[in-house]
């Protein structure tokens, strides 16, 4: 099994050559909602918990962590993106054990734009009508843990974007691995390859237009319908590598330090550090800092999800022995524009 783990490790590590950050390709990828994180625990660490994420939110960060749930976990999350912009990113996740070592998970996420006024060339002030784009994702993932040391997983995610008469859809694939070692599982290593999939292309009635026949037969003019083909675009692929170590203070309390590196295929690479303090697994405080490598003061206003982040979790037992728990998570991420991003999550663990 060790040979298999190292094979996976070096395979994902070799992918760095393909996913080296390329700022020249900035903005050429589509479906940016795949980079959004609705879950508050990992959002409080700027989504850098590649090595330590567990449960349903692992389907957004590193699918390998899904199989480390107890038996069943249900999560509902709301992310208020860029406070003041009127954007909400909502998610529902369900994960359950399959046998002793495996786990199957489903995640549904939707981006809410609110009501946008309909405007036309003749009525730039609005027609009185409204519309709202429909952006949603549906992911199905499986994870397997061997000897409580090595976890691997894969996830397939269906992506859809559209308005009334124009839409695009595609498939994204995630894969990940986690390795745990130490007397109390102190040391953790994680690698996740995300958003590998087919190009997407918009199409529909909204891209058709009518023009007079350029060569009318017998002097009779009539209109023809023409289709405008939309250009295809790639998904925002990335490779995450993270490491963490837990320093125990007593038997139940610990401080976790973590570091993470992200190699983006369509933007600058990112690196960051984070810290968590867990008090008896009841209250957890966290904070992190992430930076775009090679960014300057001139382009920092276009970088939304870097800088400082913070969050906390409260986990309350709802049965004797602490087998069943209710978790409340909150996270705040500073943004260079708007008023920051807020995440709220409600979790049930059984």
């Amino acid at each position: 099994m060790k040979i298999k783990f190292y094979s996976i490790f070096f395979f994902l590590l070799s992918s760095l050559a393909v996913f080296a950050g390329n700022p020249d390709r900035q903005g050429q990828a589509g479906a940016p909602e795949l980079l959004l994180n609705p879950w508050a625990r990992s959002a409080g660490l700027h989504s850098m918990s590649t090595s330590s994420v567990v449960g349903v939110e692992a389907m957004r960060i590193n699918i390998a962590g899904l199989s480390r749930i107890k038996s069943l976990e249900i999560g509902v999350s709301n992310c208020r993106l860029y406070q003041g912009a009127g954007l909400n990113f909502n998610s529902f996740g369900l994960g359950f054990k399959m046998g002793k070592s495996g786990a199957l998970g489903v995640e549904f996420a939707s981006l809410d734009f609110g009501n946008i006024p309909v405007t036309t060339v003749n009525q730039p002030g609005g027609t009185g009508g409204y519309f709202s784009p429909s952006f949603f994702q549906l992911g199905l993932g499986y994870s397997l843990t061997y000897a409580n040391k090595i976890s691997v997983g894969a996830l397939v995610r269906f992506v859809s974007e559209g308005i009334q008469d124009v839409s695009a859809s595609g498939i994204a694939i995630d894969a990940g691995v986690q390795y745990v070692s130490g007397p109390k599982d102190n040391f953790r290593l994680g690698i996740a390859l995300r958003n590998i999939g087919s190009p997407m292309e918009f199409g529909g009635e909204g891209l058709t237009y009518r023009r007079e026949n350029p060569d009318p037969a017998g002097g009779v003019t009539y209109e023809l319908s023409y289709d405008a083909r939309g250009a295809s675009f790639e998904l925002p692929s990335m490779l995450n590598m993270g490491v963490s170590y837990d320093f125990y203070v007593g038997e139940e309390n610990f401080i976790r330090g973590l570091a993470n590196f992200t190699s983006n295929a369509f933007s600058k690479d990112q690196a960051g550090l984070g810290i968590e303090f867990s008090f008896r697994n009841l209250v957890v405080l966290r904070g992190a800092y992430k930076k775009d490598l090679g960014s300057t003061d001139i382009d920092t206003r276009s970088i939304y999800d870097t800088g400082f982040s913070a969050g906390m979790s409260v986990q309350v037992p709802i049965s004797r022995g602490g087998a069943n728990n209710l978790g409340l998570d909150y996270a705040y991420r500073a943004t260079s524009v708007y008023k920051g991003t807020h995440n709220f999550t409600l979790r049930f663990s059984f």
Side-chain angles (χ1 to χ4, degrees):
M1 188 66 186
K2 290 184 178 180
I3 296 177
K4 291 183 179 180
F5 167 70
Y6 288 120
S7 298
I8 296 173
F9 176 80
F10 285 114
F11 169 76
L12 293 176
L13 191 61
S14 65
S15 302
L16 274 174
V18 180
F19 293 93
N22 188 351
D24 294 334
R25 302 174 69 186
Q26 183 109 13
Q28 296 184 22
E33 67 274 15
L34 288 171
L35 302 178
L36 300 178
N37 180 15
W39 303 105
R41 281 192 298 180
S42 52
L45 294 168
H46 257 319
S47 304
M48 296 189 300
S49 54
T50 309
S51 60
S52 58
V53 65
V54 296
V56 295
E57 65 185 282
M59 290 184 281
R60 182 63 55 167
I61 306 299
N62 185 352
I63 181 61
L66 174 64
S67 56
R68 294 189 179 274
I69 60 176
K70 294 179 180 179
S71 177
L72 173 68
E73 184 170 297
I74 303 172
V76 181
S77 187
N78 169 254
C79 174
R80 298 181 181 178
L81 285 164
Y82 320 126
Q83 188 69 27
L87 297 174
N88 285 275
F89 192 47
N90 304 307
S91 183
F92 169 80
L94 170 66
F96 55 92
K97 278 285 190 180
M98 295 187 67
K100 294 182 179 180
S101 304
L104 184 68
V106 178
E107 184 198 36
F108 176 81
S110 176
L111 184 58
D112 180 12
F113 292 84
N115 293 322
I116 303 174
V118 177
T119 61
T120 65
V121 175
N122 297 325
Q123 294 177 290
T127 64
Y130 295 87
F131 76 98
S132 181
S134 175
F135 280 37
F136 71 89
Q137 308 163 27
L138 179 62
L140 178 64
Y142 179 78
S143 175
L144 179 69
T145 298
Y146 176 78
N148 199 37
K149 295 294 181 183
I150 302 170
S151 300
V152 295
L155 178 140
V156 178
R157 196 186 313 274
F158 174 74
V159 186
S160 176
E161 303 178 352
I163 54 177
Q164 291 91 331
D165 49 9
V166 177
S167 63
S169 60
I171 298 293
I173 299 176
D174 295 358
V177 58
Q178 285 182 339
Y179 175 71
V180 177
S181 183
K184 291 186 177 182
D185 295 339
N186 305 64
F187 175 77
R188 297 169 183 265
L189 172 69
I191 303 176
L193 190 60
R194 296 188 54 213
N195 305 331
I196 306 300
S198 61
M200 295 174 60
E201 179 179 330
F202 280 98
E205 291 295 327
L207 296 181
T208 63
Y209 59 95
R210 297 182 66 83
R211 291 290 185 270
E212 289 186 358
N213 179 23
D215 186 19
V220 179
T221 61
Y222 54 92
E223 290 186 337
L224 295 175
S225 294
Y226 296 87
D227 290 328
R229 297 186 61 183
S232 63
F233 54 88
E234 301 290 335
L235 301 182
S237 306
M238 62 165 57
L239 177 66
N240 284 307
M241 298 188 298
V243 63
S244 66
Y245 192 86
D246 299 343
F247 300 90
Y248 273 82
V249 182
E251 292 296 323
E252 297 180 324
N253 309 326
F254 66 85
I255 298 174
R256 173 175 294 160
L258 61 87
N260 196 85
F261 173 77
T262 300
S263 180
N264 292 298
F266 293 91
S267 60
K268 294 181 176 68
D269 292 338
Q270 297 173 322
L273 300 172
I275 189 170
E276 283 186 299
F277 172 69
S278 175
F279 176 73
R280 301 182 64 180
N281 201 32
L282 297 176
V283 178
V284 182
L285 303 177
R286 56 181 64 91
Y289 179 81
K290 184 170 69 172
K291 179 177 176 58
D292 272 29
L293 302 179
S295 62
T296 63
D297 293 338
I298 297 176
D299 55 15
T300 51
R301 286 185 61 83
S302 65
I303 303 171
Y304 293 159
D305 290 322
T306 57
F308 289 99
S309 66
M312 69 173 299
S313 298
V314 177
Q315 187 160 280
V316 181
I318 54 177
S319 66
R320 289 187 177 182
N324 303 329
N325 296 284
L326 167 66
L328 299 173
D329 310 315
Y330 169 75
Y332 172 80
R333 287 171 285 171
T335 55
S336 56
V337 292
Y338 300 105
K339 299 179 182 179
T341 293
H342 302 266
N343 292 71
F344 305 88
T345 299
L346 176 65
R347 293 178 289 108
F348 297 93
S349 302
F350 303 95

